[in-house]
Amino acid sequence: MNAPSRPQLPMLVTGIAGVPGYNAFHFFRDLYGDQVFGMRQTSMWPLAGDGVLACDSDDPKAVARVWDQYQFKTLLNFGGCCRLKSCESDHAMAHRVNVTGTENMIAEATRHDAQIIQLSVDLVFGGRDGGDYDEVDLPDPVTVYGAKMVEAEQLVLGQRPDACVLRISLPMGISFNAHAGAIDWIASRFKKDKPATLFFDEVRTPTYTDCMNQLFAKLLENPINGLYHAGGPRKLSLFEIGQIVNRVGGYNPDLLQGCPRIEAGPMPPRAGDVTMNSSKLQAAIGIDPFDPWPLLDEFAPDGDDWHYERSDDSIGSEDQVERLLYQNPGNPGLVPPNRQQLWGDRRFH
């Protein structure tokens, strides 16, 4: 994509403790400097630095104070709680963070006449044979998290029909705490010589955060409104994603284990094939914004034992994980520092 035009500033990116928010905050901060701010919950105090604001989105008075102080003109609302088990165990928390928090942000964005990009998720669907969901398909979530994201979507589009709501799949990039993202969680298990058990039959359409950031920039330059699917072109099961991280990182292949969802137990429930068809988004912006993840076909598994197939010159490394999986090698962006790089071995709760 071409270099983006300047969006309306100042800009607020919420949910910077999560993968899409953390990467988008650094991407736009690199472009527009101190006119870009990131918001994280007050309890996440180690996530600090220039432009980082501490505010709980479910506190309407605190949210209003922040908006009145900074007068944001663009909102990238990427906050919420996506921890499936936590949402199943605490429905009130799931509603407060994912729905009430969204309501507060949209109210302030409306009061300040700010442009809005809102993220939702493929887990508004429960899964079906072949997946390939489009925007006409009715949501049928199997998790509390998915149900709350449906509520948040409806709230945003009801109050701000000019907003752009993007349903994303797994965002592939680094996270601050080195555990929030799919790559980080899987790699963290392997690094500690611990097994990772992943499902054969939960299928997603992951995307590089590099591609997502470029998409956000394009949508700020040329806004579109309504609901769009924003999944990548390569369909992968969670087990296949584990294979990729295992082989690219050069980890012990015996540590990767697979099972069908039914063997994982009922808590939390798991979706099946929730792959998305993103042709509506492609038509709206005139291009396909997503390269496959991973970009290189040689790193796409072709069997359950694929991650064992290694030659001496193909043994992976953490550096390869960064260059091939965190970044889009066809158009790499910056990789923000994670907690370990910023804090070292100092612990926090």
Side-chain angles (χ1 to χ4, degrees):
M1 295 183 186
N2 295 328
S5 299
R6 190 178 182 89
Q8 298 182 72
L9 298 172
M11 176 191 297
L12 175 63
V13 183
T14 69
I16 63 170
V19 174
Y22 192 58
N23 285 272
F25 168 64
H26 283 276
F27 172 81
F28 285 108
R29 184 98 181 165
D30 186 59
L31 286 175
Y32 305 120
D34 61 8
Q35 289 295 291
V36 177
F37 297 84
M39 182 179 290
R40 48 84 171 169
Q41 63 267 41
T42 55
S43 61
M44 194 65 179
W45 58 265
L47 178 45
D50 293 340
V52 175
L53 307 175
C55 179
D56 294 320
S57 63
D58 59 335
D59 183 340
K61 292 182 179 179
V63 171
R65 284 195 297 269
V66 170
W67 277 82
D68 285 341
Q69 179 177 353
Y70 293 98
Q71 300 289 311
F72 303 116
K73 288 301 178 184
T74 294
L75 171 65
L76 305 186
N77 198 34
F78 300 169
C81 177
C82 62
R83 296 187 300 274
L84 299 182
K85 191 171 184 178
S86 296
C87 289
E88 294 295 324
S89 301
D90 190 343
H91 293 198
M93 178 281 295
H95 185 88
R96 187 175 65 249
V97 176
N98 292 309
V99 182
T100 304
T102 296
E103 183 177 25
N104 292 337
M105 284 296 164
I106 299 306
E108 290 304 316
T110 300
R111 188 163 69 92
H112 290 267
D113 194 27
Q115 183 180 350
I116 299 169
I117 297 177
Q118 171 80 28
L119 290 193
S120 186
V121 70
D122 54 3
L123 295 179
V124 300
F125 300 111
R128 66 185 181 193
D129 288 345
D132 200 39
Y133 287 95
D134 63 24
E135 293 82 354
V136 177
D137 289 310
L138 294 178
D140 60 344
V142 296
T143 63
V144 170
Y145 169 60
K148 294 305 172 183
M149 295 306 288
V150 174
E151 290 186 49
E153 289 179 358
Q154 295 171 343
L155 186 153
V156 174
L157 293 173
Q159 295 187 7
R160 285 292 299 269
D162 62 327
C164 179
V165 178
L166 300 173
R167 286 177 179 156
I168 66 170
S169 185
L170 291 174
M172 294 307 202
I174 202 166
S175 65
F176 170 72
N177 67 7
H179 288 280
I183 301 172
D184 281 340
W185 183 84
I186 294 168
S188 72
R189 300 288 297 178
F190 296 150
K191 289 176 187 177
K192 298 173 184 176
D193 204 33
K194 294 182 177 180
T197 302
L198 298 165
F199 303 124
F200 296 123
D201 53 351
E202 181 174 331
V203 188
R204 314 289 288 274
T205 41
T207 53
Y208 283 104
T209 52
D210 286 335
C211 294
M212 294 175 66
N213 290 337
Q214 292 288 344
L215 171 62
F216 302 147
K218 187 173 184 65
L219 294 176
L220 294 177
E221 178 185 356
N222 297 296
I224 59 176
N225 64 286
L227 175 67
Y228 297 88
H229 286 182
R234 195 188 297 282
K235 300 181 179 184
L236 293 166
S237 70
L238 295 190
F239 179 77
E240 289 172 325
I241 291 170
Q243 287 183 292
I244 294 164
V245 175
N246 184 275
R247 181 160 156 176
V248 172
Y251 302 113
N252 179 357
D254 292 333
L255 295 174
L256 177 61
Q257 301 175 7
C259 73
R261 291 172 293 139
I262 195 171
E263 293 184 7
M267 178 64 174
R270 301 297 309 208
D273 186 337
V274 292
T275 54
M276 295 187 294
N277 184 321
S278 302
S279 58
K280 179 184 173 184
L281 175 64
Q282 296 168 18
I285 63 176
I287 61 169
D288 184 348
F290 300 121
D291 288 328
W293 184 95
L295 179 67
L296 304 178
D297 290 340
E298 65 188 275
F299 293 116
D302 59 7
D304 290 348
D305 295 325
W306 172 85
H307 56 298
Y308 283 91
E309 300 169 6
R310 308 179 188 191
S311 60
D312 291 341
D313 60 355
S314 69
I315 295 175
S317 66
E318 291 185 24
D319 178 66
Q320 286 191 3
V321 170
E322 179 169 314
R323 290 187 296 103
L324 300 176
L325 303 185
Y326 283 141
Q327 289 179 301
N328 177 5
N331 186 19
L334 61 86
V335 177
N338 63 22
R339 180 187 69 186
Q340 177 67 29
Q341 293 166 324
L342 292 173
W343 283 79
D345 293 329
R346 286 179 288 175
R347 299 182 64 84
F348 62 89
H349 300 286

